Amino acid sequence: MRFLRRSLIGIFLLAVTLALLAWAGSLVRGSVVARMNEEPRSFPQRERVLAVNVVTLEAQTLTPELTAFGELRSQRTLDLRSVTGGTVLEASEALQEGGTVTEGQLLLRIDPVEAEAARDRVRADLQDAQAELRDAQRSVLLDQDELRAAEAQAALRDQALARARDLAARGVGTAAAIETAELAASSAQAAVLTRRQAVASAQARIDQATTRLARAQISMAEAERDLADTQVFAAFDGTLADVTISPGGRVTPNERFAQLVDPTRLEVAFRVSTSQYARLLDGNGTLINAPVSVALDVAGVNLAATGQITREGARVGDGQTGRLLFAQLEAAPGFRPGDFVTVSIKEPALTQVVRLPATAVGPDETVLVVGAEDRLEVGQVRLLRRQGDDVIISVGELNGATIVAERSPLLGAGIKVRPIRPGVVEQPEQPEMIALDPDRRAKLVSFVTDSRMPDEVKARIIGQLEKDEVSSETVARLESRMGS
């Protein structure tokens, strides 16, 4: 009996368990069927409108600028060298690194003893040459007097010969007398020739003495110049650099002891690319005197100067590219030779162009034009110059069009945008307020309360719904989520 009773209880419990499982399955199936038969909630689809910064293309005339880097140089630099060697007896106080000197100022005086001795020796040689010339001139005078005397004696001998022949013709003279007269006349003529040779020799001696005197004068001038070169003077106003001498030191001939630099006559040497160089040529292929500006940032203080291009390098140089240009600067206070500066060169002006941010032009030289109904269209432009973060383009047929100033991968042809123009502050539109009836308000409050929103968001939205008037955008957003 006990076994039968326990068996019946087990069967009963099994039947109850199966009944509960069947009832639970029926509930689950009904819930699934009811869920699948519900109509899906539909949310209104709105076109995405992107806000973009725009700019209007207005053709104008612009002057592009090239930017390069260069080094300042002085147009007037002089190496100070000692022509003669010796001990430095005196040096100017300004003869030091960075010393300022004026034109004609004594910089250095070398011991002149050797130069003075050489000058005195040359002076003695000059006096000898002068004395030799005077002696030669006196000899010429004496020889000329002797020549005249010999010629007079020869004339007398010729007259005696003529008388002897006349007497012989009249039968008074003898042949012996005629021969004696002829011998005397011949001897007189020989004496005349001898004296002429003496005069010629004396004149040649004058020429030699004159040449010797000229050499002595040249040597004297050199000695005087060597003596003057023992003193070195400043050739122009400037500043000294690379000073290597001091009083008491010794210099050798042609030794450079300093360099004189004129800091007021500066020029800048800078290199540009070949394409940039081509923009600085006129119609004849000649380099134009384009204006330049030079800037130097020294500890936050900007030094600036202006000038113009004057010439270009004769050759490119080994391992170099582009062209080396030189520009003469006007007043440039604060600048010094050797400064590394930034050079801005003004190119010839361009007409019918616009300067835009570089982000407005694509790599294929296209822009996004805001067309009808604020939809984007693709426009073609021609890129002319790059100016830092900006570009200069040729307007062409897009003059007056509105384009996107900052492109992004989200923008393209056909996209609707909301233009934001520079300098225009858009006022936010006031939301439309509506009054809710009690039933509609209760549904909305119940939906917010049962939603999975954060508690602070629920409190804020419920606070808005409890007001007399509620924003229509808030109501529409909540009802769209409710599916009503």
Side-chain angles (χ1 to χ4, degrees), residues 260-461:
L260 182 59
V261 180
D262 188 352
T264 61
R265 297 181 58 180
L266 296 179
E267 66 177 7
V268 58
F270 56 95
R271 187 172 294 276
V272 297
S273 65
T274 306
S275 60
Q276 292 173 337
Y277 169 77
R279 303 174 194 166
L280 301 176
L281 301 179
D282 57 13
N284 298 325
T286 304
L287 182 67
I288 63 175
N289 297 327
V292 302
S293 59
V294 175
L296 175 63
D297 188 2
V298 181
V301 179
N302 289 327
L303 300 178
T306 58
Q308 64 178 6
I309 296 176
T310 55
R311 67 187 190 280
E312 60 182 301
R315 59 189 183 91
V316 177
D318 297 336
Q320 300 291 335
T321 59
R323 298 292 184 271
L324 182 63
L325 305 182
F326 299 88
Q328 182 178 356
L329 301 183
E330 300 172 357
F335 288 96
R336 288 294 181 270
D339 285 338
F340 189 72
V341 295
T342 302
V343 185
S344 299
I345 310 102
K346 293 187 179 297
E347 299 182 26
L350 300 176
T351 58
Q352 296 295 311
V353 296
V354 174
R355 183 166 183 166
L356 298 174
T359 55
V361 182
D364 55 351
E365 298 187 5
T366 58
V367 294
L368 296 178
V369 183
V370 179
E373 299 180 356
D374 291 339
R375 295 192 179 275
L376 297 181
E377 302 173 357
V378 178
Q380 188 70 37
V381 295
R382 185 163 63 94
L383 180 63
L384 300 179
R385 300 285 191 277
R386 291 191 179 274
Q387 303 284 285
D389 294 334
D390 297 338
V391 294
I392 297 179
I393 64 171
S394 178
V395 178
E397 299 178 354
L398 297 180
N399 188 19
T402 301
I403 67 169
V404 176
E406 299 176 0
R407 300 179 58 156
S408 73
L410 300 178
L411 301 177
I415 301 296
K416 188 172 184 179
V417 296
R418 179 167 59 87
I420 301 176
R421 290 175 171 77
V424 178
V425 179
E426 296 185 355
Q427 298 295 335
E429 297 181 359
Q430 296 296 332
E432 182 183 358
M433 307 300 291
I434 59 175
L436 298 177
D437 56 76
D439 294 339
R440 190 177 183 185
R441 189 190 306 273
K443 290 181 180 179
L444 293 174
V445 172
S446 176
F447 172 74
V448 173
T449 303
D450 297 338
S451 66
R452 298 180 180 179
M453 300 180 186
D455 294 339
E456 60 272 11
V457 177
K458 289 181 180 180
R460 178 171 55 82
I461 296 177

